[in-house]
Amino acid sequence: MWTSLRAVVVGAVVVAVGACGPPIGVVRLSIPEVHRELAANVVATGSLSTASRIELQRRNFAGQYDDDPEGVLRALHAELRRTGADGNLLYALAELSFDHALHGGGRPYYLAAVVYAYDYLFGPGASDRLDALDPRGR
């Protein structure tokens, strides 16, 4: 009886200690790896930038973009029209439109990418949002 009780207690302690691990981990990267991650975008690497992925997550479209990019782009455009010039949203729309154009969306999405990128770089409030250290302006 004591042996089985001891086994249960030891098992519970092992599970409790294992479950108390941190929910967030740290991965050591080299300087070139960090630069590559920070500078990644559809044009340079073929994958979405961190900034665009964050905008998709903020608006609850992260999982939906892969399945329905046109629907997500329509919803993001409608939000832009409703809320006005939001630099983060403009950048995401430019990059997502270009990404969709590359993957079968065609000419209308290339044009949309140019319009959103132009508005991000030169539209109202551009001088306030562009920062020399922010890779999105490059």
Side-chain angles (χ1 to χ4, degrees):
M1 170 152 163
W2 289 106
T3 308
S4 63
L5 181 59
R6 184 183 297 166
V8 170
V9 170
V10 169
V13 169
V14 168
V15 169
V17 169
C20 291
I24 298 172
V26 176
V27 177
R28 190 170 190 83
L29 298 175
S30 68
I31 292 174
E33 290 172 323
V34 170
H35 175 63
R36 205 172 10 261
E37 177 69 25
L38 291 175
N41 60 46
V42 171
V43 175
T45 64
S47 61
L48 292 177
S49 67
T50 301
S52 292
R53 285 185 272 135
I54 288 171
E55 287 304 306
L56 287 172
Q57 289 174 346
R58 278 184 61 208
R59 291 166 169 80
N60 297 321
F61 289 125
Q64 190 178 347
Y65 177 73
D66 292 334
D67 299 330
D68 183 21
E70 291 181 14
V72 169
L73 287 168
R74 270 194 305 277
L76 292 176
H77 178 78
E79 186 171 338
L80 181 68
R81 289 187 59 171
R82 187 174 53 255
T83 61
D86 173 356
N88 295 325
L89 184 55
L90 278 169
Y91 179 83
L93 276 164
E95 185 176 22
L96 294 169
S97 295
F98 188 73
D99 179 60
H100 183 55
L102 288 174
H103 296 99
R107 293 175 71 166
Y109 290 94
Y110 283 117
L111 177 61
V114 169
V115 170
Y116 292 130
Y118 183 87
D119 199 16
Y120 176 78
L121 293 171
F122 306 110
S127 61
D128 295 333
R129 75 175 146 255
L130 293 178
D131 179 4
L133 299 176
D134 188 349
R136 295 180 299 174
R138 293 183 221 131

